[in-house]
Amino acid sequence: MRTVKEISNLTGISVRTLHYYDEIGLLKPTKKNEAGYRLYDDKALETLQQILFFREFEISLKDIKAVIDNPDLDQTQILQMQRKMLIAKKERIERLIASMDDILKGENKMDFQVFHKNEIAEMFDTMTVHMPDELRKIAVEEFGGMERWKEHYIEALSREDMQKGYQKVVAWFGGKDAYLSAVRNPISREVAESYNKRLEKVLQKLSSKRRCGVDSLEVKEAVGEYGFVLKQISQIKDETGMMFAQAKYFRNKRIRAITDEKYGDGAADFFAQAIEAFYK
């Protein structure tokens, strides 16, 4: 058994931090001695090591606790997860070093790749797990099997134009790690359905306020609510970029026709103008 002070000296983690981990239930001491001092065994040390691995990726303590407390994950699975994350981080660092070397040689290739193929593959796996069964079945039939669909997905998202598009999306989330965290931890289908129903009500409300003008308080209130719901669904840090993209989406010829048919002629342009007025 080791004391808090001994653990602190061994790992470099402050005593106060270890006390805090105990307070939030992230790392409880194995037991306390008669004097009330915290004592840790080797198993507790292994848990601390896992925590420190995750902290290397700036993952929140809340998320770390959720992983460690998950009864469906054993130590081997957690280590495999962390190893995969380390490899991805190593590959990103290697690409950065290679880019710096090219700049120093005067051979800057301007490579703005956002996601590596192993990350795109992970995004595909997460997407297919959480998408509705009917949609997954249709896609599998269209591509002639899950593997062919996955190959197409990876190839499509690896294209330069797609990578440039993802630069904007990543910015909405406040960084690549935040985006990948949202991908790995999507909201449930039930919650998504609830949010979509709320979005529908907001658009109906917005449509009913068309005579008020885009600068009216009533319209601004509805647009603000629409942006807030989209932010919650997407788990993004700042919805501004996404809302400008949404305004552009309403102006798409096909989407404009569908929107106008549902909410009345001119509704799509009004939605787009209201969003732009609010976020400008």
Side-chain angles (χ1 to χ4, degrees):
M1 291 285 184
R2 292 181 173 88
T3 64
V4 170
K5 183 65 176 174
E6 289 172 334
I7 295 292
S8 177
N9 291 336
L10 181 66
T11 63
I13 303 298
S14 70
V15 171
R16 178 69 194 94
T17 297
L18 290 168
H19 286 176
Y20 180 65
Y21 287 176
D22 181 12
E23 291 169 14
I24 64 174
L26 180 60
L27 179 67
K28 304 293 290 183
T30 307
K31 67 176 185 179
K32 293 183 179 180
N33 63 16
E34 294 179 358
Y37 291 110
R38 297 171 174 86
L39 298 174
Y40 299 82
D41 62 10
D42 289 343
K43 187 175 181 180
L45 267 177
E46 289 176 1
T47 302
L48 178 58
Q49 187 179 47
Q50 292 174 352
I51 293 169
L52 296 179
F53 278 145
F54 279 125
R55 292 299 287 164
E56 281 292 317
F57 304 99
E58 298 180 359
I59 295 175
S60 70
L61 297 178
K62 179 182 177 182
D63 289 339
I64 294 172
K65 187 175 187 301
V67 172
I68 291 176
D69 290 348
N70 189 338
D72 295 328
L73 293 175
D74 58 27
Q75 184 182 11
T76 300
Q77 289 173 306
I78 293 174
L79 286 172
Q80 288 173 343
M81 180 193 308
Q82 292 172 327
R83 186 178 185 279
K84 188 181 295 184
M85 293 166 70
L86 277 170
I87 289 172
K89 185 174 183 179
K90 172 177 169 284
E91 289 173 348
R92 286 200 296 272
I93 292 172
E94 286 175 345
R95 289 200 300 273
L96 285 172
I97 293 172
S99 295
M100 288 179 182
D101 288 342
D102 288 338
I103 293 171
L104 290 170
K105 295 175 186 175
E107 302 173 356
N108 189 3
K109 299 174 183 176
M110 301 293 284
D111 181 10
F112 293 102
Q113 185 181 37
V114 180
F115 296 111
H116 197 260
K117 287 190 176 181
N118 64 336
E119 292 171 325
I120 297 174
E122 181 187 353
M123 289 159 58
F124 175 86
D125 292 338
T126 304
M127 174 191 73
T128 53
V129 166
H130 294 281
M131 74 188 306
D133 295 336
E134 264 317 300
L135 285 180
R136 184 167 57 249
K137 183 180 177 181
I138 292 170
V140 169
E141 290 176 355
E142 180 179 339
F143 288 97
M146 182 68 78
E147 282 306 312
R148 287 189 180 180
W149 179 19
K150 187 172 183 177
E151 289 171 7
H152 173 83
Y153 183 89
I154 294 172
E155 182 181 350
L157 265 66
S158 297
R159 293 201 316 264
E160 184 178 353
D161 59 328
M162 291 295 290
Q163 290 287 324
K164 286 181 179 178
Y166 266 108
Q167 288 176 9
K168 295 180 181 179
V169 177
V170 165
W172 300 344
F173 282 82
K176 177 177 176 178
D177 290 338
Y179 174 79
L180 288 174
S181 177
V183 170
R184 291 165 182 145
N185 303 284
I187 58 176
S188 68
R189 293 183 189 179
E190 292 77 12
V191 173
E193 287 175 3
S194 176
Y195 277 136
N196 285 329
K197 288 178 182 177
R198 187 174 172 187
L199 284 177
E200 172 64 22
K201 289 181 180 179
V202 174
L203 287 179
Q204 289 174 353
K205 183 198 301 184
L206 190 58
S207 179
S208 70
K209 304 295 182 182
R210 286 165 62 184
R211 293 183 181 180
C212 299
V214 295
D215 292 319
S216 67
L217 182 62
E218 296 92 337
V219 170
K220 286 183 176 180
E221 182 182 31
V223 173
E225 184 179 359
Y226 190 85
F228 173 78
V229 177
L230 270 186
K231 183 176 181 179
Q232 299 304 306
I233 293 174
S234 307
Q235 305 178 58
I236 55 177
K237 186 177 182 180
D238 180 9
E239 81 279 13
T240 304
M242 178 173 282
M243 288 299 286
F244 277 121
Q246 187 72 14
K248 187 176 180 180
Y249 172 79
F250 280 125
R251 287 197 169 97
N252 174 276
K253 186 177 180 180
R254 186 175 66 86
I255 300 304
R256 181 192 283 121
I258 294 172
T259 304
D260 286 356
E261 183 179 355
K262 187 172 185 178
Y263 300 100
D265 290 342
D269 283 334
F270 177 74
F271 293 164
Q273 291 167 12
I275 290 170
E276 290 169 345
F278 182 93
Y279 282 93
K280 282 179 181 176

